[in-house]
Amino acid sequence: MPPPLTLYDNYTRSLRPFAPLDPGRPVGLYTCGPTVYDYQHIGNFRTFLFEDVLKRVLRFDGYAVRHVMNITDVGHLTSDADSGEDKMEKGSRRTGKSAWEIAATYTDAFVADAHALAILDPDVLCRATDHIPEQIAFIADIEKNGFAYRTADGIYFDTSKQPDYGYLARLDKQGLEAGIRVDLGDKHHATDFALWKFSPPGEQRQMEWDSPWGRGFPGWHIECSAMAQKYLGDYFDIHCGGEDHIPIHHTNEIAQTEARVGTRLANFWMHGYFLLQNDAKMAKSAGGFLRVALLVEKGYDPLAFRYLCLTTHYRSQLNFTWDALDAAATGLQRMRMGVHALRQHVDGVPDAGAVERFTTFLRDDLNVPRALSVAWEVLRGDLPDKAVTRATLLKFDEVLGLGLATWQPPVETVPDDVRLLADERLAARGRKDWAESDRLRGVIHSLGWDVEDRAGAYALKRR
Ligand code: AMP
Ligand code: ZN
């Protein structure tokens, strides 16, 4: 028997055995989604791929999962610390499109890229702008419970009211206060953050709503607390995001939910570590980032990037290089061809021993790189029966998501002149003109093709 599923929980900073909060209900999984003012880069997708693998592992282990992902289409400011402008309005200026059009365009692009990477759709994909009343109700409760104050530009969360504030990131509040260099504005403490921001006086924003406090828009963090609560309840199983979310976004989500209902939102807090480029964080704001479309333009299958991500544990940073992507593309291609070669061997059942080894690695905090090596052992002939080998690899692919069951080698189109020569050769063979048939075989060969005889027909294969 493989050991129980163990996951690294960043809240307790420990590996903990996973058990659902309510065994009678699907595992609740909330993953912070994209901010849709621009395309997502492959760094963002590294985090979404980690979350996809987590979901697939939970399912592989027999759990039903309810997965909720938000789309941030308002309120995420250019600085995570509540200063700067709304990224959506900035994107609007950059492109000349409305903030609403931008949100729609980049949400569609995100979904298309996610599909290209075989990322499974969440059960609920929810937009912040569709949940303004829920966010207002959430803020109103926080205010009622005494955790909010008003400044000239918005309603802020008072982090000094929570002794445990910042626990997820082990924030040193005193140190932060003492070392603070940025302008606090009207904020009372460095760590306080906006729940609701007012539209600038005399200015109409593209995205703004009336609220009990005045016309404006929600702060970035409140959408996740409000939508997670709506779709998964006050306290659910697992909350994920990238490592950058630990000190600010997730810290503040926890603060809000604790202030409203007293729970810390999720039982497990899991984070995907960064994809780096030239040893620095890949970031949208830096410009010139790598997109899935660029990989395709350069001739890569998007799943080569998925494979690359599978080769590194989610809690290690991964430096992207084209050489590493090349190696991943080769690995993917070999695995696909290996499984394709077994396509006649149907009706096998997965090998219990191999599945147990594979599962043991997955249950060890998603050790996918080691699980992948079990797939290679199986493919390289670990098992005596080919149908069992194939069934085992297809079972593994439920987690790997490399499309091994359906992959076909690309069909090569034979050039017209080669086909014509092969037709002539077939006719010569019909006349039993073996000399001409051999001559034509030679010509076809010199054009880079081999011709094989079939009863009354031929097959052409590239040499
Ligand atoms: P955003 O669109 O900026 O809200 O980010 C979407 C997701 O990508 C979040 O979970 C981020 O934490 C994550 N993320 C951002 N940059 C990177 C990176 N370079 N590598 C991995 N994940 C990232
Ligand atoms: Zn979030």
Side-chain angles (χ1 to χ4, degrees), residues 30 32-33 70 220 224 239 245 249-250 253:
Y30 188 94
C32 290
N70 66 302
W220 169 37
C224 288
H239 194 313
H245 284 347
H249 183 54
H250 288 173
E253 281 186 39

Side-chain angles (χ1 to χ4, degrees), residues 32-37 40-41 43-48 51 72 76 87 220 240-245 272-276 281-284:
C32 290
T35 307
V36 287
Y37 71 106
Q40 293 287 290
H41 55 64
N44 301 126
F45 278 109
R46 180 177 188 217
T47 292
F48 299 135
E51 294 159 349
T72 299
H76 193 168
K87 291 187 178 190
W220 169 37
C240 298
E243 60 171 310
D244 53 333
H245 284 347
Y273 284 69
F274 280 153
L275 184 74
L276 310 177
K281 179 196 172 204
M282 191 176 286
K284 272 183 265 188

Side-chain angles (χ1 to χ4, degrees), residues 217-281:
F217 60 101
W220 169 37
H221 319 295
I222 196 71
E223 65 177 87
C224 288
S225 284
M227 293 193 281
Q229 197 277 336
K230 173 168 177 167
Y231 296 108
L232 294 171
D234 292 332
Y235 190 54
F236 56 87
D237 295 289
I238 308 176
H239 194 313
C240 298
E243 60 171 310
D244 53 333
H245 284 347
I246 300 170
I248 299 180
H249 183 54
H250 288 173
T251 289
N252 293 344
E253 281 186 39
I254 291 172
Q256 293 166 151
T257 299
E258 271 189 4
R260 188 190 200 197
V261 289
T263 63
R264 62 178 159 85
L265 194 55
N267 187 15
F268 279 78
W269 286 85
M270 296 178 68
H271 298 92
Y273 284 69
F274 280 153
L275 184 74
L276 310 177
Q277 195 179 6
N278 303 323
D279 293 307
K281 179 196 172 204

Side-chain angles (χ1 to χ4, degrees), residues 74-77 79-84 135 139 142 147-151 153-159 165 184 186-198 213 217-223 225 248-249 252-253 255-256:
V74 68
H76 193 168
L77 304 186
S79 147
D80 277 355
D82 295 318
S83 54
Q135 295 177 70
I139 299 167
I142 291 174
F147 289 89
Y149 61 89
R150 187 185 187 102
T151 73
D153 76 350
I155 304 295
Y156 281 80
F157 189 99
D158 185 347
T159 54
Y165 175 83
L184 270 186
D186 287 346
K187 282 203 303 193
H188 298 174
H189 315 95
T191 45
D192 293 356
F193 58 92
L195 294 164
W196 186 264
K197 289 211 96 172
F198 303 134
W213 312 281
F217 60 101
W220 169 37
H221 319 295
I222 196 71
E223 65 177 87
S225 284
I248 299 180
H249 183 54
N252 293 344
E253 281 186 39
Q256 293 166 151

